[in-house]
């Protein structure tokens, strides 16, 4: 139960980032295979500032299980404050790109 | 631990440890008075060492949150935490992990911060004559274990209440838990005494001790940071809102420099307002230093100090009274409000916090050492939605005018 809630939180936080970056539509793809969940969010953005792209680097924060257990409920809670570093601490790997006006973020989380 | 020998002999420290272990430890009990300064520092070093050993044995990553947790344990070991009253709480968190079939290392932060409820164990063990002493010790430890089992679920949940604007999140959680337990205790006639035990007369020695300690931290940080202060400006740009780990984002060296600078800054604050240095005040300084790895810096704590200073002009408490000093130092739990919304919001938070913290201790009867974290949670939960609404309105107007 808690595991699925955490996944929902991760999706919410990524969606909040896309909203804040000006996304008017986006697709979320979710997959669970071999104890690993993969979340991909794709959005067409007319532009993406360098600072916004820079913020996504926080997704590369190494996973911190003890921080996750203490703070995970904060993720995806508010559309005004971003918690991308917390997302980074809850996942094992992240990829992101902005090419041809398409922002694509993929995160991997091992259970 | 070694530094304790500069203050007292090993025999005095040993005798002092006995006083500490059987103390009720209710807020505010200065171990520097019920034992002596050397023993208080020894107890602080001992608990810090145990926290490090537990972390190492459980293979926990050394990051900003863990450094903050370890230093916080050390700070409160000067006035309320000891090896006896923290054991059952940590055991309770361990049992929770086993019940959930999870590794204990995932809950290490909650276990360490959760020792805030140590006085509840000590008070029940040694502070009641309603029970046979042995039965009291058994019941006290069972309640400590029960609190430890409850903490992980509550700590994660209560964070939403203040939206990450109260850095001492466990303070709020332990405050709620302490309030519930204390209500039950009071319902069967158990009460805690109003406690204010403070050491005096060690200002000069402790000032020298603190300046040596914090200067050493800055030097060590400087060495780890490639012989530079590079990155400090970036630290000052952080809002401090949870989760803001300086060690992970900016590196260990510069975070340690930030911690040392906060130590000197807060010690100077106490000296300038002519406050006294004792166990609780040094514990509060250590806690600010602790969170120099995880959210606090000189820029976002200063507005809180200004708010408390202003409060002392309009409110009934003297600025250099123990309550006001602790309100200022521990009130920096609200630093993220200044970091996110600006200095005026920070000053307002400090002003309200001073009144709130003086009013809230009765609820948990002093069994929660993080009284300011409890008050800070309420102040943040009250202020943040209001400030955010007005900021949103202001931003909308600016956009329209443009």
């Amino acid at each position: 139960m808690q595991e699925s809630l955490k996944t929902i939180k991760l999706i919410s936080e990524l969606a909040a980032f896309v909203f804040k970056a000006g996304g008017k539509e986006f697709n979320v793809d979710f997959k669970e295979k071999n104890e690993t969940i993969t979340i991909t969010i794709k959005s067409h953005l007319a532009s993406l500032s360098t600072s916004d792209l820079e913020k996504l680097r926080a997704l590369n924060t190494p996973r911190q299980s003890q921080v996750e257990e203490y703070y995970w409920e904060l993720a995806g809670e508010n559309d005004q404050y971003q918690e991308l570093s917390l997302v980074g601490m809850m996942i094992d790997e992240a990829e992101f790109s902005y090419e041809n006006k398409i922002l694509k973020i993929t995160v991997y989380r091992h259970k | 631990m070694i530094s304790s020998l500069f203050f007292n002999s090993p025999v005095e420290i040993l005798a002092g440890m006995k006083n500490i272990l059987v103390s009720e430890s209710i807020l505010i009990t200065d171990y520097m008075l019920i034992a002596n300064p050397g023993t208080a520092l020894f107890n602080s070093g001992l608990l810090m060492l145990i926290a490090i050993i537990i972390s190492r044995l459980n293979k926990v990553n050394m990051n900003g949150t863990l450094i903050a947790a370890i230093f916080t344990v050390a700070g409160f070991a000067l006035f309320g935490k000891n090896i006896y009253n923290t054991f059952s709480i940590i055991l309770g968190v361990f049992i929770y992990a086993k019940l959930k079939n999870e590794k204990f290392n995932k809950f290490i932060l909650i276990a360490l911060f959760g020792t805030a409820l140590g006085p509840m164990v000590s008070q029940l063990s040694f502070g009641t004559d309603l029970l046979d002493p042995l039965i009291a010790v058994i019941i006290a430890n069972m309640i400590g274990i029960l609190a430890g089992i409850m903490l992980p679920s509550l700590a994660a949940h209560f964070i939403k209440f203040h939206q990450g604007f109260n850095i001492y999140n466990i303070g709020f959680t332990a405050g709620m838990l302490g309030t519930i337990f204390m209500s039950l205790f009071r319902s069967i006639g158990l009460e805690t005494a109003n406690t204010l035990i403070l050491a005096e007369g060690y200002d000069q020695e402790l000032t020298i001790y603190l300046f040596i300690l914090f200067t050493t931290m800055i030097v060590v940080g400087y060495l780890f940071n490639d012989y530079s202060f590079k990155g400090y400006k970036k630290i000052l740009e952080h809002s401090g809102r949870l989760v803001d780990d300086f060690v992970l984002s900016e590196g260990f060296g510069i975070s340690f420099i930030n911690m040392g600078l906060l130590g000197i800054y807060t010690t100077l604050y106490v000296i300038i307002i002519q406050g006294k240095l004792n166990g609780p005040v040094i514990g509060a300084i250590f806690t600010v230093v602790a969170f120099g790895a995880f959210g606090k810096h000189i820029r976002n704590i200063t507005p809180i100090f200004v708010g408390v200073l202003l409060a002392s002009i309009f409110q009934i408490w003297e600025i250099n009274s123990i309550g006001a000093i602790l309100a200022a130092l521990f009130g920096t739990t609200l630093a993220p409000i200044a970091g996110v919304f600006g200095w005026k919001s920070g000053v307002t938070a400090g002003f309200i916090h001073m009144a709130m913290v003086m009013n809230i201790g009765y609820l948990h009867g002093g069994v929660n050492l993080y009284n300011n974290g409890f008050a800070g949670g309420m102040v943040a939960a009250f202020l943040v939605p209001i400030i955010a609404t007005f900021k949103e309105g202001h931003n909308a107007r600016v956009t329209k005018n443009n």
Side-chain angles (χ1 to χ4, degrees), chain B residues 160-191:
Chain B
K160 290 194 287 188
F161 182 67
H162 53 75
Q163 291 290 311
F165 282 91
N166 175 34
I167 293 182
Y168 306 156
N169 177 47
I170 278 275
F172 183 75
T173 310
M176 292 298 286
L177 207 50
T179 299
I180 287 168
F181 274 111
M182 201 59 218
S183 306
L184 293 169
F185 297 157
R186 283 178 177 139
S187 74
I188 55 168
L190 293 174
E191 183 58 276

Side-chain angles (χ1 to χ4, degrees), chain B residues 14 33 71 92 106 112 121 154 164 180 268 280 288 306 317 366 400:
Chain B
L14 203 65
L33 185 66
F71 271 81
K106 285 187 172 184
L112 295 178
V121 178
L154 296 175
I180 287 168
L268 281 174
V288 179
V306 175
W317 301 283
K400 271 188 174 179

Side-chain angles (χ1 to χ4, degrees), chain B residues 281-316:
Chain B
V281 171
I282 295 175
I285 290 172
F286 277 7
T287 309
V288 179
V289 170
F291 284 86
F294 191 65
K296 292 185 189 178
H297 47 71
I298 288 173
R299 195 172 161 197
N300 66 4
I301 69 165
T302 302
I304 307 295
F305 283 178
V306 175
V308 173
L309 280 165
L310 272 178
S312 72
I313 296 170
F314 296 102
Q315 297 174 6
I316 57 175

